[in-house]
């Protein structure tokens, strides 16, 4: 018996040099359930994680952009219809949290291109990305309290680290949404742009990152993320180790020699 085909939940555009790909070395993942504001049901999460892991292992890809289909949302959160009758047992069996853990472990940088709503799990997904390009109509928030629960994929931790306790408490305890302008002023957003410029700006930012030496990019991502987890002393130690390690790479020799010789570097990714 053949397995029924999984329903389509995301689009993946692989990087291709030249005009066929979105941008050289940049992959684009589009959450594709616009009829429910790209709500993240378990099949969407499964397909998203599968795509991210594939791209993480693909040398042709050096940066990933995630966006939402349609005009209205990046993602309006976990799928409430699917979740409504869940029990601790059913959630544990699906192993929802393992999927989020996989996203956290992706080594290549991820850019979120956020138009419209990024709520609940959608806000948590944007915050799990490394860079956030937001449209001026983007709306961030953790409204789970209004559903009788709390954020479950990092919202209480990442929002608090991004905004500080006072603001995070307000948003999480009242479910108030954070408009894009305020999100940018408070450091949740890398770049605020006009709505129609969101995806091009995210792809452009991803292309800038993808043009950097890949090993150093991964080491930098890892080190910055450690700043949220380690003491300053342990974080500085971690940074130093990665710094030293990069002196064993061909790209370090190439980058510094190119500077001295006043020419553009040619990166090899090793
Ligand atoms: C399932 C959703 C959805 C969601 C929207 N829809 N959000 N379906 N899960 N999270 C569906 C609606 O049911 C509706 O379907 C369609 O999308 C359009 O949405 P409307 O509500 O009609 O649009 P509007 O009135 O403009 O309101 C937009 C909105 C609202 C403010 C974003 O949809 C909303 O509040 N959504 C829920 C946001 C939320 O609470 N997110 C947190 C979820 S919990 P129909 O079929 O009626 O047209 C969570 C926990 C994460 O994320 C934990 C991870 C481990």
């Amino acid at each position: 018996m053949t397995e029924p085909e999984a329903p389509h939940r995301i689009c993946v555009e692989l990087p291709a040099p030249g005009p066929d790909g979105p941008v050289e070395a940049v992959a684009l993942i589009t959450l594709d359930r616009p009829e429910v504001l790209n709500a993240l049901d378990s099949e969407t999460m499964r397909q998203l994680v599968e795509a991210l892991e594939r791209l993480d292992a693909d040398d042709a890809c050096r940066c990933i952009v995630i966006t939402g289909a349609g005009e209205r949302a990046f993602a309006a959160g976990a799928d409430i219809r699917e979740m409504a009758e869940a029990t601790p047992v059913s959630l544990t069996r699906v192993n929802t949290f393992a999927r989020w853990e996989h996203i956290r472990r992706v080594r290549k940088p991820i850019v979120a291109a956020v138009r419209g709503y990024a709520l609940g799990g959608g806000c948590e997904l944007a915050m799990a990305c490394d860079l956030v390009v937001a449209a001026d109509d983007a709306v961030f928030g953790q409204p789970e309290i209004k559903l009788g629960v709390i954020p479950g994929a990092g919202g209480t931790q990442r929002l608090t680290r991004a905004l500080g306790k006072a603001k995070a408490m307000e948003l999480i305890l009242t479910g108030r949404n954070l408009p894009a302008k305020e999100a940018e002023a408070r450091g949740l957003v890398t770049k605020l742009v006009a709505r129609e410029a969101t995806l091009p700006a995210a792809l452009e930012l991803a292309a800038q990152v993808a043009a950097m030496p890949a090993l150093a990019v991964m080491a930098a991502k890892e080190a910055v993320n450690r700043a949220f987890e380690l003491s300053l002393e342990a974080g500085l130690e971690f940074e130093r180790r990665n710094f030293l390690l990069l002196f064993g790479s061909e790209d370090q020799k190439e980058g510094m020699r190119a500077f001295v010789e006043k020419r553009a570097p040619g990166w090899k990714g090793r």
Side-chain angles (χ1 to χ4, degrees), residues 90-262:
S90 68
L91 290 174
T92 306
R93 283 173 64 91
V94 174
N95 206 2
T96 307
F97 302 113
R99 300 225 166 94
W100 290 90
E101 211 41 47
H102 285 296
I103 295 173
R104 193 166 83 87
R105 293 192 190 288
V106 172
R107 299 204 303 162
K108 290 176 185 164
I110 310 177
V111 182
V114 179
R115 286 173 298 201
Y117 293 111
L119 300 179
C123 185
E124 289 167 314
L125 179 60
M127 291 193 293
C129 294
D130 304 299
L131 297 152
V132 180
V133 174
D136 47 19
D137 73 345
V139 172
F140 297 83
Q142 300 289 164
E144 288 90 340
I145 200 87
K146 296 182 188 169
L147 299 169
V149 291
I150 65 169
T156 62
Q157 304 304 298
R158 289 205 177 93
L159 199 68
T160 307
R161 282 164 165 81
L163 307 183
K165 177 179 164 179
K167 253 315 141 191
M169 269 303 183
E170 184 220 343
L171 297 180
I172 290 168
L173 295 184
T174 68
R176 176 173 84 83
N177 289 339
L178 194 65
K181 212 168 173 184
E182 199 182 339
E184 194 231 8
R186 297 188 175 279
L188 196 68
V189 163
T190 309
K191 198 170 180 179
L192 189 63
V193 294
R195 189 184 159 72
E196 60 283 2
T198 315
L199 187 55
L203 290 169
E204 166 59 26
L205 183 59
Q208 282 176 31
V209 174
M212 296 296 134
L215 280 180
V217 165
M218 285 193 291
K221 167 172 171 162
E222 200 182 10
V224 172
N225 280 332
R226 291 296 164 111
F228 294 107
E229 288 158 19
L230 301 177
S231 66
L232 180 60
E233 192 178 355
L236 290 172
E237 182 58 30
F238 186 85
E239 179 189 81
R240 248 171 249 146
R241 301 251 164 210
N242 271 357
F243 180 79
L244 286 175
L245 203 62
L246 290 167
F247 277 77
S249 71
E250 289 180 35
D251 282 346
Q252 175 271 326
K253 296 288 171 292
E254 170 63 8
M256 295 196 183
R257 280 178 194 149
F259 177 84
V260 173
E261 292 163 12
K262 299 187 187 300

Side-chain angles (χ1 to χ4, degrees), residues 33-88:
R33 300 183 78 199
E35 67 286 1
V36 286
L37 308 184
N38 303 317
L40 303 166
D41 67 349
S42 49
E43 181 58 23
T44 305
M45 291 303 294
R46 190 191 68 72
Q47 292 182 18
L48 175 62
V49 167
E50 189 184 85
L52 285 172
E53 291 191 332
R54 200 159 14 97
L55 293 169
D56 209 23
D58 179 352
D59 283 346
C61 170
R62 294 199 296 276
C63 193
I64 302 160
V65 175
I66 302 180
T67 195
E71 296 296 307
R72 302 197 53 216
F74 176 70
D79 190 309
I80 300 170
R81 279 178 221 279
E82 185 187 63
M83 228 169 23
E85 302 306 324
T87 65

